[in-house]
């Protein structure tokens, strides 16, 4: 078990707590390298039984969170679920040993029977968050709810208000707040060692194949079926900016569009599917045959047999399912590049950029303070002390154990959620629905700005 550090006391002891304190470079070096306390190592109240959970939507994320119960069976037990796809339903039921009467086809059925678990984990597609969240709250469930909260600001507000009225604990899966890389940056900013925070730049390089998989062919391609890109993908980034800066956002402006993945850019001889004998397939970077069949990448939304040759099933899914479609002949409408300019209280500025056309993933961040800066890429952090010119480097592996997805964030969030529920204490959570409202508000306002072509006051 890693030592647990009391950051505030330690910073006081080295005389570096107040913002603007002169840079003590040993303190900066220590904070950059020091192990982070791990939510999975913190004492967990011993319960006389594990908390019980129902999963709504046994897809990729549903299985991720359910996986926690296999690793920590004393904390969590999955006792029911809803999933319309028979293949996924059978696989999930077997893996978690779910009683037949607690296996449902759609989320609505969960609420036709009396409450039978402590919590519900909502991992349905974006347009199916509002319905199950509202029903679950009415029945007194606490909720782990995937982001984005819902599809409109009004729906988000309804969920938050009902959660407050019912005193339910609702955690939103902003898992990056739990990722050690961003927690380390937050520590450094909050220590005051960078002086006064002046500005932040954050870039999300989506990576071009990821873009084609999720936002052209896949689940998040279409605003009506999911959300605008800023909410569907980048609400994590807006949440990170708000959390790291720690102040309300005043104004936003945004530009962006869908420029490339449209019918006008379809190469001559292209066909509706890559498997239809497309004349451009061999040279196309987005060839579904290359991505899914030859390289066997990006298969986490494919329902494949666990054993034997998966090739024939992949080919069949490419001929019949969404992922075999030509990227220039889809029903996508979400942007492939977008920038957002943000002004926070105390004149702190931020610039965010979501980019589809990169060869790499992994967020890039630059924090600018009056006495120092940080540059990072989700692995390496480089801090510079302006007074001494000292440059301190650290890597996420030096200060964290990474036991789950999103740099260890996934299970950290689940653990804090369970702790908050068992102690009836939402303060245990970094990402309550109340806290997540700010990034969603920024997202909806920025989208207004992009569409209407004007600067928008966040609370106007
Ligand atoms: N926190 C994160 O970093 C993160 C990452 C990826 C996705 N997400 C969010 O998680 C959610 C799920 O994404 P995913 O990647 O797991 O998608 P997915 O498609 O793999 O899983 C969703 C599941 O819900 C099921 N479903 C559809 N209709 C249903 C209904 N009426 N009742 C019950 N289940 C139903 C689908 O069949 C599917 O199995 C989305 O809201 C997405 O935006 C969050």
């Amino acid at each position: 078990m890693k030592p647990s550090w009391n950051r505030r006391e330690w910073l006081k002891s080295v005389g570096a707590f107040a913002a603007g304190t002169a840079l003590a470079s040993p303190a900066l070096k220590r904070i950059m390298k020091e192990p982070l306390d791990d939510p999975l190592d913190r004492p967990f109240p011993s319960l006389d039984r594990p908390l019980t959970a129902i999963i709504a939507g046994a897809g990729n994320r549903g299985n991720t969170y359910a996986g926690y119960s296999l690793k920590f069976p004393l904390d969590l037990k999955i006792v029911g679920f809803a999933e319309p796809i028979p293949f996924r339903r059978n696989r999930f039921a077997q893996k978690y040993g779910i009683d037949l009467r607690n296996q449902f086809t759609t989320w609505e059925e969960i609420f036709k029977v009396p409450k039978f678990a402590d919590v519900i984990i909502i991992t349905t597609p974006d347009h199916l968050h509002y319905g199950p969240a509202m029903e679950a709250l009415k029945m007194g469930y606490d909720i782990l709810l995937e982001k984005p909260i819902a599809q409109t600001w009004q729906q988000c507000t309804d969920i938050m208000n009902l959660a407050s009225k019912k005193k339910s604990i609702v955690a939103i899966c902003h898992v990056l707040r739990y990722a050690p890389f961003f927690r380390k940056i937050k520590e450094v900013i909050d220590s005051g060692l960078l002086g006064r925070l002046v500005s932040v730049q954050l870039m999300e390089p989506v990576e071009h194949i990821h873009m084609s998989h999720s936002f052209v062919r896949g689940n998040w391609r279409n605003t009506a079926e999911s959300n605008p890109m800023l909410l569907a993908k980048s609400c994590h980034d807006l949440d990170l900016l708000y959390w790291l800066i720690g102040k309300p956002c005043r104004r936003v402006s945004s530009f962006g569009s869908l420029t490339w993945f449209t019918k006008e850019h379809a190469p001559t001889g292209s066909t509706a599917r890559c498997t239809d004998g497309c004349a451009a397939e061999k040279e196309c970077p987005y060839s579904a045959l290359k991505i899914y069949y030859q390289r066997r990448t990006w298969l986490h939304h494919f329902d494949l047999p666990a054993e034997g040759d998966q090739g024939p099933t992949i080919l069949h899914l490419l001929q019949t399912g969404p992922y075999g479609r030509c990227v220039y002949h889809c029903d996508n409408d979400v942007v492939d590049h977008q920038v957002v300019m943000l002004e926070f209280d105390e004149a702190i500025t931020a610039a965010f950029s979501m980019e589809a056309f990169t060869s790499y993933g992994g967020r890039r961040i630059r924090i600018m303070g009056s006495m120092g800066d940080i540059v990072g890429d989700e692995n390496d952090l480089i801090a510079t002390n302006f007074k001494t010119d000292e440059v301190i480097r650290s890597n996420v592996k030096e200060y964290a154990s990474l036991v789950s997805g999103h740099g260890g964030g996934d299970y950290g969030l689940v653990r804090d959620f369970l702790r908050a529920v068992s102690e009836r204490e939402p303060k245990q959570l970094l990402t309550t629905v109340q806290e997540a409202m700010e990034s969603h508000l920024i997202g909806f306002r920025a989208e207004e700005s992009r569409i209407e072509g004007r600067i928008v006051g966040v609370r106007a």
Side-chain angles (χ1 to χ4, degrees):
M1 187 180 282
K2 287 201 200 97
S4 131
W5 301 88
N6 183 328
R7 167 79 45 217
R8 180 176 285 265
E9 281 172 12
W10 174 72
L11 285 169
K12 270 188 188 154
S13 78
V14 297
F17 187 69
T21 301
L23 273 182
S25 84
L28 185 59
K29 187 164 186 173
R30 202 166 142 191
I31 205 169
M32 289 276 290
K33 305 268 184 189
E34 181 184 53
L36 278 167
D37 78 321
D38 185 337
L40 295 173
D41 281 348
R42 286 181 211 145
F44 190 68
S46 49
L47 307 166
D48 52 4
R49 60 166 177 82
L51 288 172
T52 52
I54 303 163
I55 302 271
N60 182 37
R61 298 302 295 169
N63 276 280
T64 298
Y65 298 123
Y68 178 98
S69 71
L70 299 180
K71 196 163 171 60
F72 301 101
L74 298 179
D75 297 4
L76 181 67
K77 182 171 167 53
I78 309 298
V79 294
F81 73 102
E83 169 56 52
I85 298 176
F87 178 92
R88 296 183 190 183
R89 211 166 49 238
N90 293 338
R91 185 179 56 187
F92 195 89
Q94 277 181 20
K95 188 164 180 186
Y96 294 96
I98 308 294
D99 196 305
L100 192 58
R101 72 196 161 136
N102 292 342
Q103 297 178 25
F104 304 103
T105 307
T106 72
W107 65 264
E108 288 91 339
E109 294 163 15
I110 298 170
F111 305 108
K112 289 187 180 147
V113 298
K115 182 171 184 278
F116 66 97
D118 298 306
V119 306
I120 180 155
I121 299 178
I122 300 181
T123 49
T124 36
D126 292 4
H127 67 288
L128 300 178
H129 287 187
Y130 182 70
M134 292 298 282
E135 287 307 313
L137 288 169
K138 283 179 202 158
M139 290 187 66
Y141 285 102
D142 295 307
I143 310 177
L144 183 66
L145 173 60
E146 256 305 352
K147 47 55 54 181
I149 301 170
Q151 285 185 295
T152 64
W153 177 243
Q154 185 56 52
Q155 290 180 346
C156 296
T157 308
D158 290 350
I159 292 173
M160 187 196 71
N161 286 343
L162 191 54
S164 301
K165 187 171 158 201
K166 292 282 194 174
K167 298 196 171 24
S168 292
I169 292 172
V170 179
I172 305 303
C173 297
H174 280 310
V175 287
L176 293 179
R177 284 200 191 194
Y178 284 87
F181 173 80
F182 291 108
R183 287 176 55 211
K184 183 57 82 179
I185 292 180
K186 175 79 173 153
E187 270 196 335
V188 178
I189 293 175
D190 286 357
S191 75
L193 291 166
L194 299 179
R196 178 179 165 154
L197 180 62
V198 175
S199 183
V200 179
Q201 285 182 356
L202 179 61
M203 174 185 173
E204 182 177 20
V206 176
E207 199 276 329
H208 62 295
I209 304 298
H210 182 182
M211 180 76 198
S212 71
H213 174 83
S214 296
F215 306 102
V216 180
R217 292 178 165 127
N219 289 354
W220 300 274
R221 69 192 181 280
N222 186 283
T223 307
E225 285 183 30
S226 73
N227 267 305
M229 190 72 162
L230 266 193
L231 272 300
K233 179 87 177 103
S234 308
C235 69
H236 278 317
D237 301 272
L238 301 177
D239 182 68
L240 282 173
L241 286 172
Y242 166 59
W243 178 57
L244 292 174
I245 290 171
K247 312 221 175 294
C249 182
R250 287 178 184 165
R251 301 192 293 169
V252 288
S253 67
S254 181
F255 303 91
S257 57
L258 172 61
T259 47
W260 184 248
F261 295 110
T262 60
K263 291 182 180 39
E264 297 76 59
H265 294 108
T268 312
S270 62
T271 48
R273 286 183 182 274
C274 304
T275 47
D276 290 348
C278 170
E281 188 271 320
K282 293 267 175 305
E283 302 216 322
C284 179
Y286 306 103
S287 157
L289 284 165
K290 280 187 211 153
I291 298 168
Y292 304 108
Y293 184 70
Q294 290 163 20
R295 297 185 203 138
R296 304 282 164 106
T297 50
W298 292 96
L299 291 170
H300 59 287
H301 287 115
F302 283 53
D303 293 328
L304 298 174
E307 288 166 15
D309 182 9
Q310 297 180 330
T313 313
I314 295 173
L315 271 185
H316 173 70
L317 291 172
L318 295 184
Q319 283 155 357
T320 54
Y323 297 104
R325 293 181 297 173
C326 170
V327 290
Y328 304 106
H329 293 292
C330 287
D331 57 345
N332 57 309
D333 65 6
V334 301
V335 300
D336 51 25
H337 66 305
Q338 184 163 2
V339 294
V340 186
M341 298 290 137
L342 308 98
E343 182 189 49
F344 287 80
D345 272 6
E346 298 181 12
I348 298 170
T349 51
F352 170 67
S353 173
M354 181 285 297
E355 305 294 345
F357 300 102
T358 62
S359 55
Y360 50 88
R363 289 168 173 86
R364 270 50 178 173
I365 190 161
R366 292 164 193 267
I367 311 284
M368 276 71 66
S370 58
M371 292 291 150
D373 73 350
I374 314 181
V375 177
D377 66 358
E378 286 200 48
N379 281 306
D380 293 307
L381 269 185
I382 306 170
T384 302
N385 175 337
F386 293 168
K387 288 199 170 174
T388 62
D389 283 340
E390 187 183 16
V391 177
I392 301 153
R393 289 165 196 274
S394 67
N395 180 277
V396 66
K397 292 196 184 112
E398 289 177 54
Y399 52 79
S401 61
L402 308 169
V403 294
S404 65
H406 289 105
D410 289 347
Y411 284 0
L413 167 65
V414 177
R415 174 61 69 87
D416 269 9
F417 171 65
L418 298 177
R419 183 182 288 112
V421 169
S422 59
E423 295 179 2
R424 303 304 314 155
E425 181 46 272
K427 289 201 183 100
Q428 297 282 1
L429 275 167
L430 282 176
T431 60
T432 56
V433 63
Q434 289 80 3
E435 180 72 3
M437 291 296 277
E438 183 76 12
S439 57
H440 285 64
L441 181 58
I442 298 170
F444 287 116
R445 294 297 194 215
E447 195 55 9
E448 247 173 79
S449 164
R450 183 183 77 83
I451 292 165
E452 295 173 15
R454 62 187 177 90
I455 298 173
V456 175
V458 170
R459 282 174 180 74

